[in-house]
Amino acid sequence: MSYRNAFQQARQQPEVFWAEQARNVAWYQPPTRILETLDDGTHRWFGDGRLNTCHLALDHQVEQGRGEQDALIFDSPVTGIRQRFTYNQLLARVAELAGALTRLGVGAGDGVVIYMPMVPEAAMAMLACARIGAVHSVVFGGFAANELAVRIDDAQPKVILTASCGIEIDRVIEYPPLVHGALQQCRHPVDQVLVLQRENAPADLARFGFLDWEETVTGSEPAPPVALNATDPLYIMYTSGTTGKPKGIVRDHGGHAVALLYALRNVYGMEAGEIWWGCSDVGWVVGHSFIVYAPLLGGCTTVMFEGKPVKTPDAGAYWRLVEEYGINGLFAAPTAFRAMRKEDPEGRLFQRYRIDTLKHLFVAGEKLDTPTYQWLSDLTGRPVYDHWWQTETGWPVTAPCAGLGEREVRNGSTNRAVPGYLVEVLGEDGQPLPPNQEGDIVLRLPLPPGCAQTLWNDHPRYLESYLRTYPGYYHTGDGGYLDEDGFVHIMGRTDDVINVAGHRLSTGIMEEHIATHSAVAESAVVGRHDELRGEVPLGLVVLKDGVAQSSQQVEQELIALIRHQVGAVACFRRALIVPRLPKTRSGKTLRAALRKMVNGKDFPLPPTIDDPAILNEISDVLIREGEVARPGQVL
Ligand code: COA
Ligand code: AMP
């Protein structure tokens, strides 16, 4: 089917279209109820279908004759370890781990938090949970104890799975003290913490009362996959919202399996037996969908990399993997290529490797700038496809559907809607805008299968955050426009979410932590353009009267505070002391104006501003501190 036909059919007859896609999944009980609309405007896909995601990813693949094919390749330049697991081997390891979890009392519907580095056991842990119907919640290893604690309290896990350490470019990070610290802050008690011992920094388990992974798991009775309802939760993935409290996105089993299989084949153009590499981390949605689940659901070999695009050991690392494993398709964040371009602008390291097997490269997670796009496509001679999606959707919303032979791309655009999605742009009055006019990017309901239909423990917040602003639409939180041919241009978030090196973070949470400092009266954290990471946070801080500490001292303390409370990954490296913050007459901080100022973009005077003189004061600080040569001015 051509892209155009698929798009039209999914638009006009979504039930027929998705019923057809669902036939590619090996259900225990195929669904007869394809799409239902609930009273609150949310939707349910495949309501009476029964399946098990782990069964589809492993047992079913073995049944199809792929038992001796590699399922997972692990490459870790930071430890020197390389491992391969066939589907048979991965199935045996996952079933054993699932058996161990069952023995620890974990059953269908129970929560399990996974706080692990990029090791195969992290993927095994996710699949083992799926096998027994437990709901996993993977927390990115770069988050500090406090962030982990917030997620534990919300997900209420029975067990936590972790490792003795993660390895960064220049240091080893011990996880057990962080888990211990988190548990001390939590209201929710967790008695059982399983630790994967790694040679780089084995943990003293007795000190924390934690269990040894290998001792607990080895020899456990393998657990069979349990039949689950299509609408049962597979996982919770916490993502940043506008407030300090992260949103627990809930993914179901049925819609997820159908949607990921569809995307793997039709967007990414990957066939069973091919080698796929999602260059991300299991702690992010890309890691869930396109390191662990989709490649295995589609019978591919997935590559897991414990390293960085540069410095492990150099900017040729990605190309080495492509050659060594014969990678056919990959996905990475633009930051990774910006980092490579900085260190290997002429492509000398690239020239050392052959990338003949690579069909195309997909990029997403943040804006792809034209120079990076040009460099990458000239260097590789391969199609570079920008595409756009979110944790909430779980799979691409706009993309060139390479698997449908649709290769037309438009520079600066994340391309057209994938079949199943209807992307529109609305003005403040909720009316659709004509082509090339910027507004709020929304998706017309119903969302296709696989997209989150609720938030863990907080359905009202889901309705409020996504469905209330524009009735009949899902509000993406991104601003941008559509051109006359339906190509989508994403201009950035319209809320207080920022993307730092492709990592989604909330400025609201940083403000909450800054507010705990005794010298601080108030603050605003906004995203500032960064050459390497796309965006980094910049704190603008008002001190209380009579504070004795110097500005530099407060700044250093705030940097340390965010690193400790949120994590190094926030890259919070500047907190400028300003006399006041611009406010509306009702006292709301004018963040949009601040965002424009720190990024050197001019803006109209906000009509509700209380005292416009504050803007000049802030402008002076930005210049004095060398943050921006010419701050954005009032037009
Ligand atoms: N555990 C602990 N700490 C982590 C971490 C993790 N999993 N990931 C990052 N950090 C730390 C880093 O060590 C660094 O600490 P530092 O301030 O002491 O140097 C800090 O968080 C910032 O991390 P990062 O922005 O990744 O900086 P870096 O210098 O380590 O690496 C890049 C720079 C460009 C190589 C890296 O950002 C990168 O690979 N980006 C691509 C990101 C990506 O793939 N995103 C996918 C999302 S879909
Ligand atoms: P996450 O939920 O972490 O995947 O982050 C989703 C957000 O990343 C989106 O809402 C966008 O703001 C941004 N994003 C993702 N892909 C792109 C892209 N290709 N171009 C621009 N922004 C993107």
Side-chain angles (χ1 to χ4, degrees):
M1 197 188 273
S2 70
Y3 163 71
R4 226 162 256 288
N5 288 347
F7 182 80
Q8 283 309 339
Q9 198 198 17
R11 175 188 189 139
Q12 286 155 5
Q13 299 173 295
E15 292 194 52
V16 175
F17 180 82
W18 288 110
E20 184 63 30
Q21 306 313 324
R23 278 194 262 283
N24 296 322
V25 165
W27 303 84
Y28 293 135
Q29 179 186 301
T32 59
R33 300 203 311 261
I34 302 301
L35 174 63
E36 291 158 280
T37 304
L38 308 189
D39 289 344
D40 59 12
T42 58
H43 293 85
R44 189 156 59 194
W45 286 97
F46 313 122
D48 57 347
R50 287 177 70 75
L51 77 170
N52 179 287
T53 303
C54 176
H55 162 257
L56 297 174
L58 299 176
D59 311 59
H60 176 65
Q61 304 303 329
V62 170
E63 285 155 22
Q64 298 296 300
R66 281 190 264 283
E68 288 308 302
Q69 178 195 314
D70 283 335
L72 190 152
I73 294 175
F74 176 56
D75 187 298
S76 167
V78 294
T79 59
I81 295 172
R82 287 170 200 196
Q83 284 173 297
R84 284 170 184 266
F85 299 87
T86 63
Y87 272 97
N88 278 331
Q89 289 167 332
L90 193 60
L91 172 56
R93 292 284 296 268
V94 167
E96 187 186 49
L97 178 55
L101 288 174
T102 309
R103 221 183 48 242
L104 293 177
V106 179
D110 289 333
V112 173
V113 161
I114 300 172
Y115 183 60
M116 296 187 74
M118 279 288 285
V119 290
E121 286 79 1
M124 291 173 195
M126 293 161 72
L127 290 159
C129 290
R131 194 167 187 81
I132 55 175
V135 184
H136 63 69
S137 177
V138 182
V139 179
F140 176 58
F143 280 129
N146 178 66
E147 288 294 301
L148 177 60
V150 171
R151 287 155 175 78
I152 292 171
D153 269 337
D154 198 65
Q156 310 222 322
K158 267 203 171 156
V159 172
I160 296 176
L161 300 174
T162 188
S164 61
C165 68
I167 300 152
E168 281 298 289
I169 293 174
D170 52 2
R171 64 190 195 284
V172 170
I173 293 152
E174 294 184 18
Y175 283 24
L178 295 169
V179 175
H180 181 70
L183 288 174
Q184 285 190 319
Q185 292 180 37
C186 285
R187 287 183 310 276
H188 174 75
V190 183
D191 299 329
Q192 307 179 102
V193 179
L194 233 63
V195 182
L196 179 77
Q197 292 283 28
R198 305 189 76 196
E199 277 180 14
N200 306 68
D204 175 1
L205 300 181
R207 186 175 144 215
F208 301 111
F210 293 168
L211 301 168
D212 181 90
W213 182 297
E214 213 171 304
E215 276 174 20
T216 312
V217 174
T218 309
S220 298
E221 181 71 22
V226 299
L228 298 161
N229 294 325
T231 50
D232 282 342
L234 166 63
Y235 67 77
I236 312 166
M237 162 106 258
Y238 288 93
T239 191
S240 301
T242 29
T243 66
K245 188 172 181 272
K247 293 169 170 168
I249 300 299
V250 180
R251 192 87 57 216
D252 67 9
H253 277 260
H256 176 253
V258 174
L260 287 195
L261 204 47
Y262 182 76
L264 184 79
R265 300 271 189 259
N266 298 286
V267 176
Y268 298 105
M270 297 297 298
E271 296 304 324
E274 291 192 310
I275 322 285
W276 169 260
W277 182 20
C279 322
S280 179
D281 188 288
V282 285
W284 305 109
V285 70
V286 176
H288 282 58
S289 295
F290 290 101
I291 293 177
V292 180
Y293 287 114
L296 299 177
L297 288 168
C300 294
T301 300
T302 187
V303 176
M304 229 177 145
F305 178 62
E306 190 186 26
K308 303 252 175 175
V310 293
K311 298 194 173 75
T312 60
D314 58 34
Y318 274 31
W319 314 122
R320 169 182 71 77
L321 261 78
V322 172
E323 176 182 296
E324 200 164 323
Y325 304 120
I327 288 167
N328 303 114
L330 72 74
F331 176 140
T335 297
F337 296 113
R338 283 196 292 269
M340 281 186 233
R341 179 172 169 233
K342 196 158 159 252
E343 304 213 350
D344 188 27
E346 312 295 332
R348 291 207 176 88
L349 292 165
F350 171 82
Q351 300 301 343
R352 290 190 192 162
Y353 305 98
R354 293 180 66 105
I355 61 155
D356 308 21
T357 52
L358 193 62
K359 299 190 281 191
H360 42 231
L361 301 93
F362 279 85
V363 294
E366 50 172 323
K367 193 140 187 79
L368 172 65
D369 52 288
T370 305
T372 305
Y373 166 77
Q374 212 58 57
W375 175 81
L376 186 59
S377 78
D378 291 348
L379 186 75
T380 59
R382 298 290 187 282
V384 174
Y385 295 136
D386 190 5
H387 68 316
W388 166 69
W389 48 294
Q390 319 182 298
T391 304
E392 289 85 342
T393 66
W395 62 285
V397 181
T398 71
C401 290
L404 292 172
E406 175 62 24
R407 293 171 202 283
E408 189 187 345
V409 295
R410 197 153 289 183
N411 201 1
S413 144
T414 63
N415 300 297
R416 283 181 289 200
V418 171
Y421 290 100
L422 281 173
V423 181
E424 293 185 26
V425 178
L426 303 183
E428 274 172 19
D429 57 359
Q431 294 306 308
L433 292 174
N436 300 313
Q437 264 197 43
E438 209 176 311
D440 281 342
I441 300 191
V442 295
L443 308 177
R444 198 176 317 154
L445 300 179
L447 292 171
C451 297
Q453 296 285 345
T454 191
L455 295 177
W456 190 251
N457 289 335
D458 206 350
H459 192 60
R461 189 177 178 197
Y462 176 89
L463 299 175
E464 196 54 44
S465 306
Y466 302 111
L467 304 193
R468 287 282 178 261
T469 318
Y470 299 115
Y473 293 97
Y474 163 89
H475 185 203
T476 66
D478 278 308
Y481 63 94
L482 279 160
D483 68 17
E484 45 290 309
D485 299 317
F487 284 78
V488 175
H489 296 251
I490 303 291
M491 304 311 288
R493 299 285 309 191
T494 53
D495 54 14
D496 297 328
V497 167
I498 57 172
N499 259 289
V500 181
H503 304 141
R504 176 166 158 180
L505 299 165
S506 151
T507 53
I509 194 136
M510 296 185 216
E511 289 174 11
E512 282 182 22
H513 288 302
I514 290 172
T516 64
H517 190 288
S518 59
V520 172
E522 62 173 339
S523 78
V525 177
V526 290
R528 178 200 192 296
H529 174 74
D530 181 77
E531 280 299 315
L532 175 65
R533 295 185 173 85
E535 216 174 3
V536 289
L538 172 70
L540 300 166
V541 180
V542 180
L543 298 185
K544 288 179 184 157
D545 288 344
V547 167
Q549 286 160 293
S550 70
S551 301
Q552 287 83 350
Q553 200 181 346
V554 174
E555 179 174 32
Q556 288 316 309
E557 286 176 10
L558 292 176
I559 291 170
L561 180 75
I562 298 295
R563 196 176 167 88
H564 182 68
Q565 294 290 348
V566 180
V569 72
C571 283
F572 183 85
R573 292 172 184 171
R574 290 242 60 190
L576 306 182
I577 308 303
V578 294
R580 296 177 291 167
L581 290 173
K583 297 275 174 84
T584 62
R585 282 183 282 278
S586 60
K588 235 177 126 202
T589 303
L590 288 159
R591 284 187 178 72
L594 289 173
R595 260 199 303 269
K596 298 264 185 199
M597 287 183 82
V598 306
N599 287 299
K601 290 189 179 146
D602 297 342
F603 56 97
L605 184 71
T608 52
I609 194 164
D610 186 30
D611 180 1
I614 300 177
L615 297 174
N616 292 333
E617 296 171 9
I618 293 189
S619 200
D620 292 346
V621 175
L622 291 171
I623 295 170
R624 196 176 63 231
E625 295 287 336
E627 265 311 302
V628 51
R630 183 191 169 279
Q633 312 280 315
V634 173
L635 284 167

